Amino acid sequence: MTTSADRIAARLVHHIDNAPERRMIMQTARLEDFPRRLDGNASLRDSIALLCSVWASYRSKTPSTEFISMPLYGKAIRSLSRTLETDHAISVETLASIAILQRTEDLFDPGDRRFIHEKGIASLLARLGPPKPDDKFYSSLLCECYSILVPYWVKTGWNTMLDDPAWKAAIVACMTDYIGIQELQPMLASSLTQYNHVSQRLPEIMRGMKAINTPSDKAPGFDVSSLVSKMATELRDMEAAAGETSSSAMAKAMELGAVTEVDDPTFIHGTCYHFSSTNLVQSLISFVSLHLCLLQLRYKWSSAYRLSDSQALYASFQTRCHQLWKFIPFVRRVKLFLANIHQDAFALTLEIANQREKRYLLDLFKELDSYAPGRFEALITAS
């Protein structure tokens, strides 16, 4: 006799077996490990049930519904609450349950997202500690949790947990395992340090950028003060480091044959990138996106204060935008996960796009808007 957990496990296996790239709904490469863990954790079982249901609805183009009105969502939340009151509360399975709920909401819920689950993920990670080297399931899950928590900590205040060498080593190890290319480990370690530093500094940087758009009435419009010079130097150092990591990682991946540039007559610029795996493209697009964001911040700062490098920085920004576009044909094939988490970087490139390029980008945003209605509406309308 089959149990509820058996049926939900079978449904998840069906999704994974029919289209392996669908695992990109989560950053963990070990979705296939979930089914055998469902019997012992009701919260994980019900989170997976919700994921499978809304995932199937998306693929069948069923109109999305706000989660707050979905019985399956209510059941998943109640199961999580009950689990947190049991001996299973501090477990990797419970962490997986919360991460799945967060990612499922982020991808499929057309309602507002307000960092509902991130605090719980951060607290549970701190209680569990870094994964042991042989715990591949937890290590893979840590990749997911890291990508979830960085935006949360940027908004709420940086958590020094990521400055701990044990956590850093664990994250680099799980990222390397996730990609499967040992030669990229130095770039991953460098990128992690950069991501953490930029994320920690981002609130102050953005306050400085806001000052560009709303200068004090008493301040001279383009006074290159010590504050301006200090910010320009900091942005330069961060941008240069991110650019070096991005370029080195792409060069190494191409040298190894894991990335190739191929002809594509349907693409706006004729050639685009092909990647050996969806796991690899996830990391490489993150490298390029980080550098792109820092380039934009740097050239806007330089332009606002008429610094001498503004034109050269804009040219570099254009080059990086063109490079990011070469990811799009591959990304569209796994658009649900990759395009969603990098939507801000793709949106930045609209700034340099001509009409033909803009139409191409807007088509991408319209595709994404089809499963999360309204998420890209303002961007599409404004463009």
Side-chain angles (χ1 to χ4, degrees):
M1 183 175 179
T2 60
T3 65
S4 174
D6 292 333
R7 291 190 294 273
I8 294 167
R11 193 174 184 187
L12 180 61
V13 169
H14 173 75
H15 275 290
I16 296 170
D17 287 348
N18 282 352
E21 75 278 3
R22 293 184 202 166
R23 70 183 58 197
M24 290 305 295
I25 196 168
M26 289 187 70
Q27 199 164 333
T28 175
R30 297 188 175 274
L31 272 179
E32 61 267 27
D33 286 351
F34 280 78
R36 61 187 177 84
R37 295 172 180 263
L38 298 187
D39 258 332
N41 193 297
S43 178
L44 182 58
R45 180 197 66 207
D46 291 337
S47 293
I48 291 285
L50 174 68
L51 166 63
C52 288
S53 177
V54 296
W55 197 354
S57 295
Y58 159 72
R59 293 190 61 80
S60 64
K61 301 188 184 303
T62 302
S64 57
T65 303
E66 288 196 22
F67 279 24
I68 194 68
S69 63
M70 291 178 60
L72 271 178
Y73 179 68
K75 184 179 181 182
I77 292 295
R78 289 191 298 273
S79 290
L80 175 59
S81 297
R82 287 194 295 268
T83 298
L84 292 174
E85 296 173 354
T86 70
D87 294 339
H88 296 293
I90 312 303
S91 69
V92 175
E93 286 76 15
T94 300
L95 178 66
S97 171
I98 304 173
I100 289 169
L101 275 174
Q102 189 281 340
R103 186 60 76 198
T104 305
E105 289 180 31
D106 192 40
L107 290 173
F108 296 109
D109 188 359
D112 293 334
R113 287 278 297 115
R114 295 190 179 90
F115 293 120
I116 298 172
H117 302 296
E118 286 81 348
K119 184 177 180 180
I121 291 171
S123 175
L124 195 48
L125 272 177
R127 297 283 297 275
L128 287 168
K132 294 180 172 58
D134 60 345
D135 191 342
K136 298 300 184 182
F137 180 75
Y138 183 16
S139 293
S140 183
L141 187 60
L142 181 59
C143 281
E144 184 76 18
C145 292
Y146 175 72
S147 68
I148 289 171
L149 289 176
V150 168
Y152 168 68
W153 282 329
V154 168
K155 290 278 189 181
T156 62
W158 194 245
N159 190 304
T160 56
M161 183 183 88
L162 290 181
D163 297 327
D164 184 289
W167 279 108
K168 281 186 175 181
I171 294 170
V172 171
C174 76
M175 286 179 169
T176 305
D177 184 58
Y178 178 71
I179 293 173
I181 301 177
Q182 191 66 33
E183 291 87 343
L184 291 180
Q185 184 165 358
M187 294 80 166
L188 290 169
S190 177
S191 177
L192 179 67
T193 299
Q194 292 161 22
Y195 259 106
N196 292 349
H197 177 65
V198 171
S199 299
Q200 188 173 6
R201 294 284 299 133
L202 194 58
E204 185 173 339
I205 290 171
M206 296 313 296
R207 284 193 292 271
M209 297 302 297
K210 185 178 180 181
I212 293 176
N213 299 318
T214 55
S216 168
D217 292 336
K218 297 179 181 179
F222 298 102
D223 177 25
V224 184
S225 64
S226 60
L227 176 62
V228 171
S229 298
K230 179 182 177 182
M231 183 69 79
T233 299
E234 182 172 13
L235 287 172
R236 180 199 65 202
D237 292 345
M238 289 193 296
E239 180 269 314
E244 173 61 27
T245 297
S246 174
S247 297
S248 297
M250 283 294 295
K252 176 57 71 173
M254 295 186 88
E255 176 189 324
L256 296 169
V259 178
T260 53
E261 192 163 354
V262 298
D263 292 330
D264 184 348
T266 67
F267 180 57
I268 48 176
H269 289 298
T271 64
C272 61
Y273 293 136
H274 178 75
F275 303 88
S276 61
S277 73
T278 50
N279 296 354
L280 174 62
V281 70
Q282 162 63 21
S283 292
L284 292 179
I285 200 172
S286 295
F287 294 160
V288 174
S289 297
L290 176 64
H291 186 221
L292 183 72
C293 293
L294 289 170
L295 264 174
Q296 192 206 42
L297 288 173
R298 190 180 169 198
Y299 96 72
K300 282 187 176 294
W301 186 263
S302 292
S303 297
Y305 291 99
R306 296 181 179 174
L307 303 182
S308 60
D309 58 358
S310 59
Q311 288 188 339
L313 288 171
Y314 185 72
S316 296
F317 178 69
Q318 287 179 303
T319 299
R320 272 300 191 212
C321 287
H322 292 154
Q323 183 183 29
L324 186 63
W325 290 344
K326 292 183 179 183
F327 286 77
I328 292 177
F330 190 94
V331 164
R332 288 179 100 154
R333 294 198 289 273
V334 288
K335 61 178 181 276
L336 184 59
F337 179 84
L338 283 176
N340 182 73
I341 64 173
H342 294 292
Q343 58 186 272
D344 291 340
F346 287 123
L348 287 183
T349 68
L350 283 167
E351 182 175 343
I352 63 103
N354 60 33
Q355 287 303 311
R356 178 168 170 264
E357 293 161 346
K358 189 173 290 188
R359 283 195 299 271
Y360 183 85
L361 292 169
L362 291 179
D363 283 344
L364 171 66
F365 297 137
K366 287 175 183 176
E367 281 184 48
L368 295 173
D369 207 58
S370 68
Y371 71 84
R375 185 172 296 184
F376 296 89
E377 184 178 355
L379 184 62
I380 294 168
T381 303
S383 300

